[in-house]
Amino acid sequence: MDIHEYQAKERFLAAGIPVPPGEIATTPDEAESIASKYGGPVMVKAQVHTGGRGKAGGVKYAKDAAEAREHATKILGMDIKGLRVEKVLVTPAEDIDTEAYVGVLIDRSTQSATFMVSAAGGMDIEQVAETQPDAIRRLAVDPRYGLLPHQAYWLANFLYEDPGLVKQASKAIAQLYRSFVDSGASMTEINPLITTPDGKVKAIDAKMSIDDNELFRRPEVAAMRDSSSEPPSETKAREAGLSYVKLDGSVGCCVNGAGLAMATMDLVKYYGGEPANFLDIGGSSNPDKVVSALEIITSDPNVRAILFNIFGGITRCDDVANGIVEATQRIDMKVPIVIRLTGTNEEKALEILEDAGFSAYTSMDDVVEKAVQLANG
Amino acid sequence: MSIFIDSDTKLVVQGITGRDGSFHTRQMIEYGTQVVAGVTPGKGGQSFDGPDGVEVPIFNSMDRAVAETGANTSVIYVPPAFAGDAILEAADSGVHLVVAITEGVPVLDMARAHAFARDKGVRILGPNCPGLISPGKSKVGILPAQIVAEGPIGVVSRSGTLTYEAVFQLTSVGLGQTTCVGIGGDPLIGTNFIDCLAAFEADPDTTAIVMIGEIGGTDEQDAATYVNAELSKPVVGFIAGQTAPPGRRMGHAGAIISGSAGTAEEKMKAFEDNGIAVAKRPADIVGLIQDALG
């Protein structure tokens, strides 16, 4: 789960990291009054879950409150990479001497939280990693000890020469690790971590993604979810316990298992179609889940055909077939459905489906080809 | 032969009295797995009624279960909130393999568990995995036993049902398996492709290997390099997620393209560059294996 910049800054502040003040505005009026409260120049920053806000015109410098109002008028409601801006952060503009990058993420190869720091701040760190790998210092944190003080110091020494700045940065790095762990994050970054002409280190931008598996034990973090930043169908899927990602194609996919779901989408493409979604319906034959899945898929107006691909292992195919039949009787279907079931008791399942008037298949290729034909035809 | 589990596997089930734990314990006993103990804190002294009159003693803790039954492998069905601790307890109990089925374990809990298990020299499989099965010998986890058969193919995969799909197709044409291993869909897993490839290479009964990967991370790329350098046996590969958009988690916590890294294209290319036959569709896996076996 991604959280907004202003929310990540709240987490940072709670850990003691120096973050400039800031408030959220949802209207130009609010933006103006926040800016006039701060007095001097401010930044008006779109709060959306994507990078590249600056390039898209979603981050603006305003010399005074009137200009903050103008910028807020333009930015609020703006579309950035398909996401509508509902909120802006208004924060005093800082005088910047240098910009550095400090990030922590879960690294698969070291199986631990890993720091990356660079004096080349303000840039896309992936790009830095590619073009100047020596400009990044990395440290895998041993989960048994956490980040040790001398390690934070070692990272900070890579950013600055000045002992005063190194001291402030090591403290901020240690606090960032604490914030990462206490938030149950999978990634967090300060980009940039700035120094000011008067010798202060500050975090002026903040990013954080939370490990979804942590949410059950961190209600205060879970409460930061902004459902307005995702398609309503994805909110509904999450509430129904389904794993769903909306795409742009016309073949609705309903599959049990994430790997098989991805392979099914790939096969749709292979046969000349475009998948409308990723959807993992899980291992059960519960008709309620099938109903939710069908409601979510059919709420997408691009969907022209629906494809079920179910591998019956422990869950028997005939049970799944009964679940599908019952579910489709409960909702009004306007697009054709084709179904493929294979595995345990597949013959019985085919009989059940054919008796209910469905086209049923046992071959994955056959059913995908048919679904693509229906969607494109 | 087989890898990681065989007829000498003596299994303890952590979370044996839960809904999933009890269901799959029955399935494992029916398949012939030696389930020697169960652990549920607070239910020690009771016993679990398995099929065919089998009674499995339940203990309060892993150390007691291992001390009294000689269990050498554990399987974990406990809920995500307690799974991290259950893995640590298992790794400290004397078993040499811990199979963590649970999906949804916080990744920071796993970072700690993996570090602890490495220190103890214990292998973790998973979490968020279907487990493994050595046909005719033992099954640990949730793989459906009906779709496997004894034979010469080793199967390793990050997926569940996609693996079943491939295994079912192999079995349908008479190609049985030495062992089918699901390594799990999480970002931090205890046993990776290379661990399984090395074990299959060392297993004299395995003659060819099917490796099923997906988007996210670089495990497949590393495995491809390893195959080129170390393996004498033919490998057929498949990668799921060619149509997955970047930055979105595709069901599995680990199935996410970060920036430009971890795409299906990059993994398929790594396979091809290193002599692994790439199946474009799941249905092509069987044909490629038959070609490889000549």
Side-chain angles (χ1 to χ4, degrees), chain A residues 108 111 144 256 340 365, chain B residues 118-119 161 165 189 254 281:
Chain A
R108 298 173 192 236
Q111 297 198 322
R144 290 162 293 197
N256 69 334
R340 182 263 186 154
D365 284 75
Chain B
R118 276 199 301 276
D119 284 353
T161 46
E165 181 82 41
I189 51 173
R281 306 172 296 163

Side-chain angles (χ1 to χ4, degrees), chain B residues 1 3 7 17 47 59 83 93 101 126 142 157 175 181 190 220 259 268:
Chain B
M1 291 249 301
I3 69 168
S7 32
T17 52
S47 65
F59 299 88
S93 69
I101 305 300
I142 62 173
S157 170
L175 286 167
V181 190
E220 289 85 353
M268 288 161 81

Side-chain angles (χ1 to χ4, degrees), chain A residues 148-168:
Chain A
L148 300 168
H150 76 280
Q151 294 174 323
Y153 182 66
W154 181 74
L155 291 169
N157 266 309
F158 190 67
L159 301 178
Y160 309 116
E161 298 282 341
D162 179 83
L165 296 179
V166 169
K167 194 175 165 196
Q168 292 177 58

